[in-house]
Each structure stands twice: as C-alpha cells, then as structure tokens.
Amino acid sequence: MTSRLQMRLILIFGVILTVAGLALLVVTLSQPVIFGWFGSTPLSPNVFAPGLNVYSTPQVMSAAVLIIGLLVLTFWTGFRVGSHRRVATGPRSPID
C-alpha cells in the first residue's frame, strides 16, 4: 500500500470511530441507569446521594470509542501538518 492510501484509511477509520462513539454516547446517555440495589449500607451513616452522576458500562465504552477516534484524528492531523513543513536540505558545505 502506498503512504497516501494508508493515510486515507487512517482518516476514514478515525472518522468512523468518532461518529460511532458519538452516536453510541448519545444513545446510551438518553437511557436511564437502572440499579437493583439500595444505595445505603446497613447501620451506616453513609447514604447514596441521588444527585451524583453514575455511568453505566455502555456509556463508558462509547466514551472510550469516541476518545480513541479523536486521538486517531489528532494523529492524522499532526502527521499531515508535519509532512507539509519538512525542511528542504541544500547541498552540504565543504566545511561540514
């Protein structure tokens, strides 16, 4: 594979991961988190505060997919910017 094709595949892969992670995150955040247990322990003054944010496993996984997709796109962007800024080296002087 050529370098140009590899970079396009990395771009497509990053975009797919980002869009899929964002879509999954929106879907999973719209669903309520259901617990089958009480939030307090017996004979303890500590009580589960209902105002806390609790994330389910699908929400965490979809956020991880989104972050990985953004990291791939960041890598791709940095590589593209860096490849355009290569310094051209001229002929070496006889002193070197």
Side-chain angles (χ1 to χ4, degrees), residues 7-67:
M7 291 308 294
R8 284 193 182 177
L9 289 176
I10 290 173
L11 174 65
I12 292 169
F13 182 67
V15 168
I16 288 172
L17 279 178
T18 304
V19 170
L22 185 62
L24 287 173
L25 191 62
V26 167
V27 169
T28 56
L29 285 176
S30 66
Q31 299 173 351
V33 178
I34 301 171
F35 293 102
W37 48 272
F38 292 99
S40 62
T41 57
L43 302 174
S44 174
N46 297 335
V47 178
F48 176 74
L52 292 175
N53 290 332
V54 179
Y55 299 105
S56 65
T57 303
Q59 291 171 346
V60 172
M61 294 303 292
S62 60
V65 169
L66 175 65
I67 290 170

Side-chain angles (χ1 to χ4, degrees), residues 77-90:
T77 304
F79 189 81
R80 292 286 293 177
V81 168
S83 66
H84 288 299
R85 294 187 183 196
R86 290 190 181 149
V87 177
T89 58

